[in-house]
Amino acid sequence: DAGVIQSPRHEVTEMGQEVTLRCKPISGHDYLFWYRQTMMRGLELLIYFNNNVPIDDSGMPEDRFSAKMPNASFSTLKIQPSEPRDSAVYFCASSLGSGQSRETQYFGPGTRLLVL
Amino acid sequence: TQLLEQSPQFLSIQEGENLTVYCNSSSVFSSLQWYRQEPGEGPVLLVTVVTGGEVKKLKRLTFQFGDARKDSSLHITAAQPGDTGLYLCAGPDLTGKLIFGQGTTLQVKP
């Protein structure tokens, strides 16, 4: 398996622009997670899906952030409008279970977002 | 709120030295995981510990879960440059979501 695939790997945009990050989870995994990593706050869970349904979006910072999972093999994280403080590395991960079930989460390589 | 605190935050050592990284909390966790993240990549799971007092070994890495399941440690014997990276501990909160410590950045110089 190719692992979790994320695109783009790098994104530079200007404040106010819309940004869309994409993720293809590992086939057969029924959980998908979106994380954000910054030096200040470390790795934070933004939202996660189970069987394509959003379960917990309490980590989504503002209404400017939205995530969708239209099918089992694709998810998007959208920021509209983007702001400089959104600059971070965004990771997608997938697993066969949630953290409580001790299943391994497999992370993608991340998207490095810079908002100028 | 459950928190995981890691120490030290940064560690720079010479090849061949031993080191220990700590992950502490005031809360009890049902399990703890350790991940390693290399520059430009996502975290990769190293181990999961689930029983208080459990010790797991992965080659030169030894992981221990505290008896009270509130803390864990990672000990590396004879560190090598390939061990360089960010080490993260993580555990499920009461809702099942995985929360991460801030991480320990390890640099092993040849």
Side-chain angles (χ1 to χ4, degrees):
Chain A
D1 200 318
V4 175
I5 299 173
Q6 291 187 248
S7 66
R9 292 294 307 273
H10 302 271
E11 177 80 36
V12 180
T13 190
E14 292 187 345
M15 182 173 64
Q17 296 298 307
E18 178 179 294
V19 175
T20 299
L21 312 181
R22 298 173 176 78
C23 174
K24 176 178 168 54
I26 293 173
S27 177
H29 283 187
D30 52 358
Y31 282 83
L32 183 140
F33 308 83
W34 281 102
Y35 290 89
R36 178 173 66 177
Q37 187 175 41
T38 61
M39 288 292 292
M40 289 295 294
R41 301 174 68 89
L43 197 59
E44 301 175 284
L45 178 66
L46 299 177
I47 184 172
Y48 77 95
F49 296 82
N50 177 216
N51 292 322
N52 313 336
V53 177
I55 303 301
D56 189 331
D57 65 353
S58 59
M60 297 285 260
E62 299 172 31
D63 291 344
R64 298 184 296 107
F65 286 69
S66 62
K68 294 181 180 179
M69 193 165 185
N71 57 64
S73 59
F74 183 65
S75 178
T76 60
L77 177 67
K78 187 176 293 187
I79 308 173
Q80 167 63 18
S82 59
E83 296 182 3
R85 57 189 168 133
D86 301 330
S87 298
V89 182
Y90 291 82
F91 288 101
C92 175
S94 70
S95 72
L96 287 172
S98 66
Q100 215 162 42
S101 68
R102 300 162 192 163
E103 291 287 347
T104 301
Q105 289 192 19
Y106 295 85
F107 284 77
T111 294
R112 280 146 188 79
L113 173 65
L114 176 61
V115 182
L116 302 173
Chain B
T1 303
Q2 291 174 284
L3 293 174
L4 288 168
E5 296 182 353
Q6 289 188 240
S7 61
Q9 205 171 353
F10 300 98
L11 197 52
S12 181
I13 61 172
Q14 292 294 135
E15 182 177 0
E17 293 184 8
N18 301 332
L19 66 115
T20 302
V21 175
Y22 300 92
C23 175
N24 295 296
S25 177
S26 58
S27 305
V28 174
F29 283 84
S30 59
S31 63
L32 280 179
Q33 296 181 324
W34 284 93
Y35 289 78
R36 179 168 66 207
Q37 183 179 11
E38 298 186 13
E41 301 295 331
V44 175
L45 181 67
L46 296 174
V47 77
T48 301
V49 286
V50 299
T51 305
E54 181 178 5
V55 176
K56 281 191 173 179
K57 292 192 175 183
L58 189 66
K59 297 183 181 178
R60 294 175 293 100
L61 278 60
T62 302
F63 304 85
Q64 186 162 8
F65 200 11
D67 291 340
R69 292 186 286 127
K70 292 182 177 181
D71 57 87
S72 182
S73 64
L74 158 60
H75 182 79
I76 301 179
T77 302
Q80 298 178 359
D83 296 326
T84 293
L86 177 67
Y87 289 81
L88 296 159
C89 67
D93 68 11
L94 295 175
T95 67
K97 294 181 298 186
L98 209 57
I99 59 172
F100 285 81
Q102 288 288 86
T104 294
T105 299
L106 172 64
Q107 180 187 42
V108 183
K109 293 180 273 190

